[in-house]
Each structure stands twice: as C-alpha cells, then as structure tokens.
Amino acid sequence: MSAGWLRACALVLIGLFSVSALAKDKQSTAIVVGGGLAGLTAAYELQNKGWQVTLLEAKPDMGGRSGLAASEWIGNSKAQPVLNSYLDAFKLSTLPAPEFVRVPSYLIDGEYFTAADLATKQPATAEALKRYEKTLDELAASISDPENPAANSTLFALDQINVSNWLDKLQLPTTARQLVNQQIRTRYDEPSRLSLLYFAQQTRVYRGVSDRDLRAARLPGGSPVLAQAFVKQLKTIKTSSPVSAITQDKDGVTVSVGTVSYKADYVVLAVPLRALNKIQLTPSLDTLHLNAIKGTNYGWRDQLMLKFSNPVWDSKARLSGEIYSNTGLGMLWIEPAIKGGANVIINLSGDNARLLQTFGDKQMADQVLIRLHAFYPKARGAFTGYEIRRYSTDPGTGGAYLAFGPGQISKYWRLWERPVQRVVFAGEHTDALYPGTLEGALRSGQRAASQVQGLSAGKSFDPVSAAPVAAAAAVAAKESKGGFFSNLFGGSDKAASKPVEKVAEVPAQPVPAPVAPVAAPVIAPAPVAAPQAKVEPVKTAPVKKAPAKAQPAKKPVAKAEAVKKPAAQAKPAPAKEQAAKKPAAKPATVADAKS
Ligand SMILES: Cc1cc2nc3c(=O)[nH]c(=O)nc-3n(C[C@H](O)[C@H](O)[C@H](O)COP(=O)(O)OP(=O)(O)OC[C@H]3O[C@@H](n4cnc5c(N)ncnc54)[C@H](O)[C@@H]3O)c2cc1C
C-alpha cells in the first residue's frame, strides 16, 4: 500500500471522526409555542436538559390565562404536588390560608351560611347536600383508575349522560339543587353541558383531598408571580409573536410568525385548542384531532373585579372565601388588598357567563355594583374602577378551560398526550388528571419536555392504552347487578347492558353557542339606578341581596411584564433555509384512536 493511499485513508477517517463529533456536540433545539404555565414549564425543563429553547408567545405579556386574584388560593402538596414543588424550587413563599376560608360557604337568598349554619337553620338543604355528596362519592369510587375512566362499558356509558340529567334523578330540593348547580358550573361548566363520566373522574381524582387541602394557602401576587419566576430562568423568549404556521419534515420543524421563520428539531405546542385551530399545520392533523379541536367543550368562566378605595363591607364582614349563591351569582372572593384599596372578585360561570356576553363591560360592572351598593351603602362612594376578564370570548382560549361534554371522553381521551411526529402538545387540556388547573398545565409541560427528549432519543410514543370496553363488559355487567349502578339508573341495568357500539357513535357535542338559554341569570333588573347602565332587563327573579360580606381588600393583579430578550439562540431563519442536519428521530406513532 502506498504512503499516499495510507494518507488518504487517514484523512477520510479523521474527517468521519470530526463529523460524528460535531453531530454529537450539536445542541438539540426546540421551539415552544405559548407562554402560559404549560409552555413555560416545557421550555424550562428542556433548557435544564441542555436544549436550546426559543419560546414564542402571541401576546405582549407572559403567563397566559391566570385569574385576576392578586393573592391566589393554592392547594397544599397533597392537592397540587407539582405546583408546590415549583414554588419551593423558585423560593416563592405562600401565606397559610385562614381556617375559615378553607371550606366553602353559601349565600342563600342573600343570607350567608357556613356549612354548620346550614345544618341548623336549613336542615333540609344540608341533608340534601350531604346526600348529593355521598352519591357523587360512590360514583367516583366506582372508577378504579382515573387515568382510564371508561374502563368498562358501564363507566363508558356515563360519558353519554350529562350531569344535569343525573342530578334530576337525585330529586334534590330546589335550594340544594341551585347550590349544587352553582358549585358545578363554577368548577367546570353548566351541569347540562358536562359529561357525567368527566365529573365523576374529576371527583375521583380529588377523592381524599379535602377542601382544606385545596385552599391551604395563598400565593401573594397570584400565578403571574410563578410565571415570572419561570421567565427569569429562560434564555430566549419572544413576545408579541403569534405563530401562524408549523411545517414539519423528517429533519425538523419550521415555525412561522408571519413572514419570519424559526427552525428547530422539535416543537411543543402549548396553546389552548381554539388557538391551535388558528395555526396551520403541515402535514395537517387527522380528522380526529381536527374534530377534537372544534368540538371539545370548554367551561365558561369570566371574572369581574370591583375596586374600592377601602373595604366597604366591614360592618357586616363576611370573611373571604369560596361562596356559592343560589341566585346565580358566581363564586365570590373578597380579599384583603396587598397595597391599600379593596377588591371584590366575582366569578361568573357556565350559562350565566354565556348570557353576560350580551352585556358591555361597563354595564356588567354597573349591574353588580348596584347590588353590592344595596347591601353595603358605602359601596358606590368608595368605588374606584373595575377590571373584567372574559376568557370565554377570548379567541385565544374560547373558554376558561377544558370541561369534557357528553360523549367526548369516549372520543378524545388522552388524544393530546401523543406526539404527532415532531410536534408535542402541552397545556391544561392535555392533562388527564388535572385539566383546568395550574397543576395540569405544569404537569403537561413536564410531560411534553420529557417526550421531546424521548423522541430525540428515538423513542416512539404509542397510543395510551385503555382497557378495551368490550373486554370489560362482562365485569361491568357483574358490577351492575343490583348494585350501585342499578340504583344510579333508577333500578334498571339498562346502561350496563347498552351495546357498546351504539354508545361509541354518539356525535361530538357542538361548540357551545355564544349565548345559551339560562335558568338563573346573574344579573337581574336592579332597583337602584345605575348612572350609565342601559341594560335590557333579564327575565328572572331579581337577586335579592347583594353579594357576600367580606374582609378587607386587596390590590389588583400586577400584570406580568412583557419579556423581550434578544434571540440569542434560535435565530429567525430565512424562509428557504435548509432544514437542520440532525438525523430524524423515529416518528412517533400517530394514534388513530377511534373509540
Ligand atoms: C377564570 C379562571 C380562573 C382559574 N382559577 C384557577 C385556580 O384557582 N386554580 C387553578 O389551579 N387553576 C385555575 N385556572 C386554570 C389555570 O389558570 C389554567 O389551567 C392555566 O393557566 C392554563 O395554562 P396553559 O399554559 O395550559 O394555557 P394558557 O395559560 O392559556 O397559555 C397559552 C398561551 O399560548 C398563547 N398563544 C395562543 N396562541 C398562540 C399562538 N398562535 N402563538 C403563540 N402563542 C400563542 C396564549 O397567548 C397564552 O399565553 C383558572 C382559569 C381561569 C380562566
């Protein structure tokens, strides 16, 4: 062999070695779309794993959906373990919640009742509430695995029933039913729009977690403070960057914000379903995904904050907390202001929130102020302004949070936990156990980050396995004989023996109409004249008294600051830039989940 030939071989070997060393050294890249808590978590976790991450957020501010409350209630680590672990990691301290706010209370025809008051003053209502809770608990207990709630045909059948029909069977006295309706619409959505299986599954998730665990502490500054803690850790964030299109091929993804393109190995899509609908994906999602985007029910919940120069409710102080009214007025929060002033936050949920879309912001604030003033005569004088958050009509959310409607678990269960090639999904709506919460958003971000890591290591994510309904039918039939389910369905085994195929054919629920008929609208014509309000009277019984009496007040939420860091890592790529040279990870199996 000649020396020249040897030299040539050596050069080739050195060349090969350098290329492989370079490939090894190349930092993996990911783009996260959406700067809510899910996207922030995914970006943070990926960055910690050594990824080069660029976070693109449509709005000027980071943090996404977060309530108006400046001092949000936080569950303890039993109720919200992931949330608490991040609070610890970022050294964000919470304040223990006063004992009296840790359990819900009631406002019945304007009169305030603790649970104990109710037992002595309205025993029939208290008894009925207990009966409801016991029946619901039994229903929840029948789900052995909340990650697989439709494990047998009987449970599967619950997905075809709405919560309102189930409540009808309980024949609760009127006041108890009103309070139950209000609690359900506040936490999820209108009972008539909610899958009974979803309601039971969520109750199962929180079984053993008491109200006291759920409102164990308060986070001063609210969830925007947590969002800012994530923001501080991230190297590359681009606000005011609404993503319009994502194209993926075997080598990577190209993410477009108008005419600007970004390239990366993977993308995490951490936006709510209605926002996802506005992003053009190439190749397109399959029909199941597209149907889920359009059809999955979101609960409606808007928040109105009335601000006062000082607490006007001192004399009749009703202590702050979760208060359910039987008159359709949503859950109330009356909280001490952190820096002077006093705020009242009123949550308007379900069909009440849908109805209120016909009111302008000012009209809505006026109408609620009128009622507050009737109860606390200093209210109007101390009133300094209001803020309204209408999540329900925000095109970026299209609702407050996921709340599966009838038939939707059967079709879409854990659909968004499966990556579609190089696209991984995150967001509260993708979490099986804690949708609609901060906990769910954070968990989904963690899951998405580890999926991206897994994909890059060549892992494939198979469809989440669920017990085949047909195989479980025999078990269900056994369970249903003369037992709990028979009672649930009025002594018949109809649901258990219903053919599974038929159940699976129930069509997706249509996206809720912007304004739906309601049983007990929030705002009734007021006796006190509002200065500016020109409100069409709503045909219902007037709210008899004003909202709850409360504690000292609190300050408005400080808006999360817009973050505009220079794009140190992922740089805008020219539109026709070559795709990144990283070898394609094995594409994940796209589930064709036809339940
Ligand atoms: C009124 C209300 C009260 C709540 N109360 C509580 C509570 O007490 N406790 C609790 O645990 N949870 C509560 N939640 C739920 C909790 O706030 C949410 O589950 C959580 O904030 C959702 O986070 P996310 O990251 O999934 O979505 P989001 O916060 O919605 O984040 C999505 C982000 O994506 C951005 N985006 C959308 N489209 C694009 C695009 N094309 N390009 C780039 N960015 C885009 C949006 O601007 C947004 O910032 C409440 C929610 C509401 C609405």
Side-chain angles (χ1 to χ4, degrees):
M1 202 178 283
S2 74
W5 174 245
L6 273 176
R7 223 179 6 253
C9 283
L11 279 174
V12 168
L13 278 175
I14 289 167
L16 283 177
F17 180 77
S18 324
V19 167
S20 92
L22 268 178
K24 219 174 176 183
D25 285 352
K26 182 190 169 283
Q27 199 177 12
S28 302
T29 53
I31 291 169
V32 175
V33 182
L37 281 165
L40 285 165
T41 310
Y44 172 74
E45 294 296 338
L46 278 167
Q47 191 179 275
N48 281 355
K49 290 176 204 280
W51 285 63
Q52 207 176 74
V53 184
T54 299
L55 195 156
L56 302 173
E57 163 56 42
K59 295 193 173 163
D61 302 327
M62 298 293 290
R65 269 168 285 174
S66 44
L68 272 177
S71 183
E72 224 154 86
W73 299 109
I74 296 290
N76 60 21
S77 53
K78 189 173 174 191
Q80 294 175 308
V82 177
L83 173 58
N84 278 276
S85 71
Y86 281 119
L87 294 179
D88 288 347
F90 295 136
K91 299 195 173 26
L92 296 175
S93 49
T94 57
L95 302 170
E99 196 54 37
F100 51 80
V101 300
R102 293 177 77 173
V103 286
S105 56
Y106 308 96
L107 194 65
I108 300 172
D109 298 332
E111 192 181 343
Y112 172 73
F113 293 84
T114 62
D117 289 342
L118 209 61
T120 51
K121 295 184 188 161
Q122 292 220 7
T125 304
E127 276 306 310
L129 290 181
K130 264 194 202 151
R131 179 159 61 87
Y132 154 75
E133 274 155 21
K134 185 168 178 287
T135 315
L136 177 59
D137 184 64
E138 286 167 357
L139 184 58
S142 68
I143 297 174
S144 56
D145 177 7
E147 292 197 333
N148 185 16
N152 61 50
S153 63
T154 307
L155 288 171
F156 191 82
L158 296 187
D159 190 36
Q160 321 310 320
I161 300 167
N162 74 50
V163 173
S164 186
N165 288 344
W166 173 74
L167 286 172
D168 289 347
K169 293 243 168 20
L170 295 184
Q171 297 186 324
L172 301 171
T174 309
T175 304
R177 175 67 187 266
Q178 287 168 337
L179 294 172
V180 166
N181 281 347
Q182 188 56 39
Q183 191 187 59
I184 295 172
R185 69 167 71 95
T186 297
R187 292 184 180 174
Y188 306 97
D189 195 6
E190 204 61 28
S192 60
R193 296 175 186 270
L194 208 59
S195 154
L196 180 55
L197 183 59
Y198 180 62
F199 185 46
Q201 185 258 3
Q202 284 296 288
T203 309
R204 172 70 180 76
V205 168
Y206 291 101
R207 206 162 178 252
V209 176
S210 71
D211 281 314
R212 299 183 72 263
D213 295 324
L214 283 169
R215 272 175 298 282
R218 317 181 76 175
L219 177 62
S223 52
V225 165
L226 177 59
Q228 284 306 312
F230 277 111
V231 164
K232 273 189 204 145
Q233 304 293 324
L234 295 176
K235 293 182 184 154
T236 311
I237 295 177
K238 292 187 147 287
T239 50
S240 304
S241 300
V243 168
S244 47
I246 296 172
T247 304
Q248 53 170 332
D249 57 32
K250 69 180 177 47
D251 296 320
V253 290
T254 305
V255 176
S256 307
V257 177
T259 54
V260 181
S261 303
Y262 300 86
K263 282 184 173 293
D265 300 322
Y266 296 92
V267 64
V268 175
L269 262 175
V271 303
L273 290 178
R274 302 299 187 267
L276 189 52
N277 196 31
K278 298 197 178 79
I279 301 177
Q280 194 195 336
L281 286 171
T282 309
S284 165
L285 291 171
D286 64 18
T287 313
L288 184 68
H289 285 84
L290 295 176
N291 287 344
I293 286 174
K294 289 191 184 129
T296 304
N297 186 55
Y298 270 55
W300 278 38
R301 181 164 159 193
D302 293 338
Q303 286 183 319
L304 163 67
M305 176 160 68
L306 298 181
K307 302 177 188 179
F308 299 93
S309 53
N310 58 290
V312 293
W313 41 81
D314 270 354
S315 57
K316 301 177 193 173
R318 148 71 185 104
L319 303 168
S320 178
E322 200 179 30
I323 308 161
Y324 297 107
S325 116
N326 71 327
T327 51
L329 199 59
M331 182 174 68
L332 308 170
W333 302 85
I334 303 182
E335 305 178 332
I338 288 169
K339 286 184 194 158
N343 299 334
V344 181
I345 292 182
I346 297 162
N347 285 263
L348 304 157
S349 314
D351 284 349
N352 290 327
R354 287 174 174 92
L355 178 87
L356 278 169
Q357 304 315 316
T358 54
F359 288 71
D361 284 3
K362 191 156 197 336
Q363 290 174 315
M364 189 163 142
D366 281 338
Q367 288 296 307
V368 176
L369 177 62
I370 286 162
R371 275 151 197 85
L372 206 69
H373 185 82
F375 204 57
Y376 303 110
K378 291 183 195 155
R380 192 177 289 287
F383 180 66
T384 57
Y386 63 87
E387 274 183 49
I388 293 182
R389 297 249 173 108
R390 297 190 192 241
Y391 301 90
S392 313
T393 46
D394 181 335
T397 44
Y401 35 66
L402 177 129
F404 278 124
Q408 296 182 350
I409 288 188
S410 314
K411 288 183 173 166
Y412 308 134
W413 186 243
R414 301 185 75 173
L415 178 66
W416 301 103
E417 280 181 47
R418 304 163 212 161
V420 175
Q421 282 91 42
R422 289 172 174 277
V423 178
V424 175
F425 301 94
E428 55 81 16
H429 62 285
T430 69
D431 192 67
L433 296 183
Y434 302 92
T437 65
L438 301 172
E439 182 74 7
L442 298 166
R443 274 168 47 101
S444 77
Q446 289 185 335
R447 192 246 319 128
S450 61
Q451 282 182 325
V452 167
Q453 181 89 341
L455 286 171
S456 118
K459 193 172 167 192
S460 88
F461 290 88
D462 293 325
V464 176
S465 62
V469 172
V475 181
K478 204 170 135 208
E479 282 173 359
S480 69
K481 275 196 189 113
F484 169 68
F485 284 112
S486 307
N487 300 335
L488 175 70
F489 294 107
S492 107
D493 281 350
K494 246 193 265 168
S497 57
K498 207 171 179 180
V500 171
E501 291 74 16
K502 272 204 168 161
V503 172
E505 280 166 16
V506 171
Q509 291 295 300
V511 178
V515 176
V518 290
V522 179
I523 304 297
V528 183
Q532 314 84 344
K534 280 190 189 164
V535 180
E536 287 296 315
V538 178
K539 288 173 197 148
T540 47
V543 176
K544 288 193 181 156
K545 282 190 187 171
K549 323 96 207 185
Q551 251 191 343
K554 67 169 191 143
K555 71 154 191 168
V557 170
K559 278 209 169 164
E561 266 180 33
V563 181
K564 285 193 181 170
K565 295 191 184 177
Q569 295 172 338
K571 295 184 184 101
K576 283 184 188 166
E577 192 186 79
Q578 281 300 305
K581 281 177 190 139
K582 190 171 194 298
K586 197 173 158 199
T589 313
V590 182
D592 179 24
K594 287 182 187 135
S595 331

